[in-house]
Amino acid sequence: MKPDLFKAPDYYNIDDLLTEEHKLIRTAARDWVKRDVSPIIEKYAQKAEFPTQIINGLAEIGAFGSYIPEEYGGAGLDQISYGLLMQEIERGDSGVRSTASVQSSLVMYPVFNYGTEVQRKKYLPKLASGEWMGCFGLTEPNHGSNPGGMETNFKDKGDHYLLNGAKMWISNAPFAQVAVVWAKNEEGRIHGLIVERGMEGFSTPETHNKWSLRASATGELIFDNVKVPKENLLPNKSGLGAPLGCLDSARYGIAWGAIGAAMDCYDTALRYVKERKQFGKPIGQFQLQQKKLAEMITEITKAQLLAWRLGTLKNDDKATSAQISMAKRNNVEMAIKIAREARQMLGGMGITGEYSIMRHMMNLESVITYEGTHDIHLLITGLDITGLNAFK
């Protein structure tokens, strides 16, 4: 395994906008990725297996519920700290960042914001420590970009709810102890339910044969007359806005995370073109290679500034869903273009596991689709600026 020589680009001195705490948190995460992720991730991606041994490390660097208050086991950090954590983790691998994003934004976030105090105390400390892992059940076989059409439902049976339906493309599903599941009640209103592994009729078959996010565990959630205790209903928010609020937090993390993948591809390509010689000189001396690198660092810098500004808005509770959509769409598109360009710069070596680029490129094909597809986010921006709904 080649040593991890990653050096993060900061062309506009964006570090000057960060606090010392931000930089310490980032350094701890970066060091952890270099030590515990980079040496093993290619092997696990080739095997299509999630490295469960890194869960404790993710918890130790604060990647699970970083912005959840300390009284519930979280780190009590701000939104920029959360973004920087996602950036560094996705620099290692998008699948590992997905695991952390789901745990933080799609499981701990709704329990903290929509749950009862009893639910917070029961679930959040164990999720923050990594003792329990969670997953988020929204997407269905027939309902992806239109989650409001979900068919999963629950009925009131007096002393419990009876849950039926199915969810798919669920990160962490194969090993999660708890699932935050979105389903319709008998009136058609969407609610969140906490479903625990071991409940009769609840199964989580794993999804195989993926060419993307191979080091991430993906599966389905199957509910066959699952009896869910009434105290497992998240009572403080219902309707489609409840799961979409979770997705806003996850999309924000992705906007930062994609920068990490892009930086890794850029840094790899930059080092390679300085070392690789053709026609008697380093290929980095050729104009086309310099053009590609100059465009990469420009786009990364723009994405860094976009994410930082969004982080300040999030800290002030001023970030809108549409602003988050713009950052997710822009930064993921930026990252996937850089990954594709960097792959070409490495020639045939770019497709091998000796370098991270091809793995990033395949992973980003999922990232550009999940948590709202690229086109859906364009339409969200379009709706916001015109006031005209293209979804109807």
Side-chain angles (χ1 to χ4, degrees):
M1 172 58 63
K2 296 179 68 173
D4 185 343
L5 302 175
F6 174 73
K7 184 178 179 182
D10 184 13
Y11 201 74
Y12 261 42
N13 299 329
I14 295 168
D15 272 12
D16 293 347
L17 301 173
L18 305 178
T19 67
E20 288 305 311
E21 182 182 38
H22 290 150
K23 287 182 268 193
L24 286 171
I25 289 162
R26 185 186 61 189
T27 297
R30 186 171 295 169
D31 290 346
W32 175 77
V33 168
K34 287 192 173 190
R35 183 184 68 248
D36 290 356
V37 178
S38 297
I40 65 167
I41 197 63
E42 300 296 345
K43 178 180 74 173
Y44 278 88
Q46 292 283 357
K47 292 195 301 181
E49 180 182 333
F50 175 74
T52 55
Q53 69 270 26
I54 68 172
I55 288 175
N56 287 340
L58 283 167
E60 287 168 5
I61 64 172
F64 296 152
S66 60
Y67 48 77
I68 299 294
E70 293 182 64
E71 64 181 294
Y72 300 109
L77 302 175
D78 73 349
Q79 291 292 323
I80 290 177
S81 297
Y82 172 60
L84 289 166
L85 282 166
M86 296 303 102
Q87 173 185 284
E88 295 304 313
I89 295 168
E90 187 146 2
R91 204 280 299 177
D93 187 75
S94 299
V96 177
R97 196 268 310 141
S98 292
T99 297
S101 283
V102 168
Q103 186 87 334
S104 295
S105 292
L106 301 182
V107 181
M108 297 179 73
Y109 178 95
V111 172
F112 177 72
N113 285 283
Y114 310 152
T116 65
E117 188 65 11
V118 171
Q119 290 169 341
R120 293 185 191 110
K121 290 180 177 178
K122 177 180 179 179
Y123 295 105
L124 292 178
K126 291 185 177 181
L127 291 165
S129 69
E131 179 183 349
W132 283 1
M133 296 300 294
C135 63
F136 176 85
L138 181 63
T139 300
E140 296 187 357
N142 296 321
H143 303 282
S145 295
N146 177 29
M150 71 175 64
E151 298 167 42
T152 300
N153 65 90
F154 65 97
K155 296 180 179 178
D156 191 330
K157 293 298 182 179
D159 61 346
H160 66 273
Y161 297 120
L162 197 64
L163 178 65
N164 281 282
K167 306 289 183 176
M168 71 182 305
W169 305 120
I170 309 301
S171 296
N172 300 356
F175 56 72
Q177 282 78 29
V178 296
V180 173
V181 178
W182 300 94
K184 289 181 178 177
N185 65 10
E186 290 161 281
E187 289 74 44
R189 184 74 176 174
I190 295 172
H191 291 267
L193 298 163
I194 302 173
V195 181
E196 299 183 28
R197 185 171 297 282
M199 290 182 176
E200 188 175 353
F202 175 41
S203 58
T204 59
E206 188 165 1
T207 302
H208 297 288
N209 298 322
K210 297 183 299 178
W211 288 113
S212 181
L213 296 180
R214 289 173 60 82
S216 175
T218 309
E220 300 174 57
L221 304 177
I222 308 295
F223 314 106
D224 183 9
N225 288 323
V226 179
K227 292 182 178 178
V228 180
K230 286 198 166 180
E231 61 266 26
N232 284 31
L233 180 83
L234 296 175
N236 293 334
K237 192 172 178 65
S238 63
L240 189 58
L244 292 183
C246 307
L247 291 175
D248 273 351
S249 181
R251 290 163 177 170
Y252 167 76
I254 291 170
W256 281 89
I259 298 171
M263 291 196 304
D264 196 58
C265 292
Y266 165 81
D267 182 64
T268 301
L270 178 61
R271 279 185 282 107
Y272 185 85
V273 300
K274 290 179 178 180
E275 299 165 0
R276 173 70 169 171
K277 292 184 179 179
Q278 290 289 280
F279 306 104
K281 59 184 178 182
I283 63 173
Q285 195 170 332
F286 290 98
Q287 290 180 1
L288 282 177
Q289 302 287 13
Q290 292 192 9
K291 172 184 181 292
K292 291 175 181 180
L293 290 168
E295 289 174 342
M296 287 181 186
I297 191 60
T298 301
E299 294 306 312
I300 288 171
T301 301
K302 287 155 63 177
Q304 288 174 317
L305 289 165
L306 189 63
W308 175 82
R309 176 55 182 156
L310 185 60
T312 65
L313 290 170
K314 282 276 285 180
N315 279 340
D316 293 337
D317 199 26
K318 292 180 179 178
T320 68
S321 295
Q323 288 170 331
I324 293 168
S325 279
M326 176 182 283
K328 191 270 185 183
R329 179 192 58 79
N330 180 82
N331 290 7
V332 177
E333 182 181 39
M334 172 276 301
I336 202 166
K337 286 181 176 178
I338 285 177
R340 290 168 180 164
E341 199 76 277
R343 207 291 304 157
Q344 291 192 57
M345 293 173 72
L346 267 67
M349 293 305 296
I351 72 165
T352 71
E354 186 175 352
Y355 297 93
S356 60
I357 293 172
M358 191 72 176
R359 176 172 49 81
H360 281 307
M361 192 168 80
M362 292 190 299
N363 285 342
L364 289 164
E365 291 290 350
S366 289
V367 181
I368 205 168
T369 295
Y370 69 29
E371 314 288 3
T373 69
H374 183 73
D375 291 342
I376 288 293
H377 285 299
L378 278 172
L379 294 180
I380 290 171
T381 303
L383 169 61
D384 193 50
I385 60 178
T386 67
L388 303 173
N389 193 342
F391 298 104
K392 295 181 180 179

